[in-house]
Each structure stands twice: as structure tokens, then as C-alpha cells.
Amino acid sequence: MERTLIIIKPDAMQRGLAGEIIKRFEQRGLKIIGMKLLRLSRQLAEKHYDVHRERPFFGGLVDYIISAPVVVMAREGSDAVLAARATIGATKPAEAAAGTIRGDFALEIGRNLVHGSDSVENGVIEVANFFSADELCGGWSRDVDGWVFE
Ligand code: DAT
Ligand code: MG
């Protein structure tokens, strides 16, 4: 079962788009196993974006992601990583397809509203970086008849 970390970034919070973004993942059927509001520490932000440390935009990216509280969500499912990325849209919003979050609400790469893990491996790592085990509620699912608890 795959896990993906979703971050509703400061620009989405500032624009009042948190509910819209949560709705899209919910409608897609991506099971939610964790959610909280927090302001990232610089240390956690630098760890989260470590792969981009040598890029010229790294400093601005970190300053931006720690500039305001964000909503972080853990989502789980088969193909959760790919499905979430498809719902989010391309990194460069101008290239993101209409119907995706970025394609419908964003234009600037530095203000692209939402993060989603880019691989199955990183999904597991990123969820663990943001959530302790007791903050995650697995062990349930939905089917046509309603809730199913393990
Ligand atoms: P994604 O968020 O789609 O996974 P990424 O991992 O390549 O994209 O980059 C992380 C974030 O860094 C991205 O959401 C916005 C920012 N970023 C990426 N490339 C950039 C660039 N060329 N200029 C400014 N910001 C950039
Ligand atoms: Mg990425």
C-alpha cells in the first residue's frame, strides 16, 4: 500500500483554497490517514526539500514554505503517489492540465499551491518525517456499503 505526503502550501492557505484542495483528494478517493495544521521549522523544511539543496531556488523555497502555517495530509492507497501527482498537475503551473489543482488555480512555479510525494519510496519517507505513528489512522476503508474496519 503506497503512502503520499500532501502539503497545502502557504499560497493556498492565504488564498483560502485549503478546502478546495482537500475536496479534490477526497473526491478522487485517496484515503486520508493523517491531517494537521503546522508551521514548519526551518530544519524540517530543509530536510523535506534536501534534494533541491544545490538549486538556486532552494533558499527562497524554504523561506516560503515556512512563512505561514500549512496543512499536511498523509494519504494511502494502491497507486496513491501517481494518483495524487495527477490530481496536483505539473510542477510548472502554466504546463499543468486544466482540471488539475495547479492547472485550475496557479500560474507561478514558486506559488504552485500543493506538494505531493514524487515516488513510492519518498512517500513513505516524507509521511514518516511529518507524522508519528500515533498520529496516523489506518485500519479502515470505504466500500459501497459504508465503512469497513479491520
Ligand atoms: P514538485 O513540487 O512538482 O514535486 P519539484 O520537486 O521539482 O516539484 O520542486 C519542488 C518545488 O520547488 C516546486 O513545487 C516549486 C519549486 N521549484 C521547482 N523548480 C523551480 C524553479 N525552476 N524555480 C523556482 N522554484 C522552483
Ligand atoms: Mg517534488
Side-chain angles (χ1 to χ4, degrees):
M1 196 59 82
E2 295 181 15
R3 287 182 172 181
T4 182
L5 182 83
I6 306 299
I7 305 177
I8 302 177
K9 296 181 183 181
D11 54 322
M13 301 298 291
Q14 191 271 333
R15 291 172 59 192
L17 289 170
E20 173 68 31
I21 291 169
I22 292 167
K23 185 185 81 171
R24 288 179 177 227
F25 289 107
E26 199 172 22
Q27 286 179 337
R28 190 76 199 269
L30 279 163
K31 175 181 161 182
I32 186 165
I33 59 167
M35 181 162 75
K36 59 186 172 183
L37 178 78
L38 81 165
R39 190 149 177 201
L40 273 64
S41 66
R42 183 170 294 275
Q43 186 185 22
L44 179 56
E46 289 183 350
K47 183 178 187 183
H48 176 69
Y49 281 128
D50 190 59
V51 64
H52 299 302
R53 192 172 285 273
E54 304 305 325
R55 309 285 288 279
F57 57 81
F58 180 74
L61 180 61
V62 169
D63 286 346
Y64 154 65
I65 201 79
I66 69 173
S67 66
V70 295
V71 170
V72 292
M73 295 184 281
R75 300 240 165 204
E76 191 177 75
S78 54
D79 295 321
V81 169
L82 189 65
R85 294 286 295 194
T87 290
I88 290 167
T91 301
K92 210 172 167 181
E95 294 173 355
T100 66
I101 295 166
R102 288 168 174 167
D104 287 351
F105 297 108
L107 265 182
E108 285 182 50
I109 193 165
R111 297 290 182 271
N112 62 9
L113 301 172
V114 56
H115 167 84
S117 306
D118 66 0
S119 69
V120 175
E121 185 189 20
N122 284 336
V124 172
I125 292 169
E126 290 178 1
V127 167
N129 284 342
F130 281 79
F131 291 93
S132 60
D134 65 1
E135 290 176 317
L136 295 172
C137 304
W140 59 271
S141 58
R142 293 179 299 204
D143 69 11
V144 286
D145 297 320
W147 300 103
V148 179
F149 294 95
E150 284 167 6

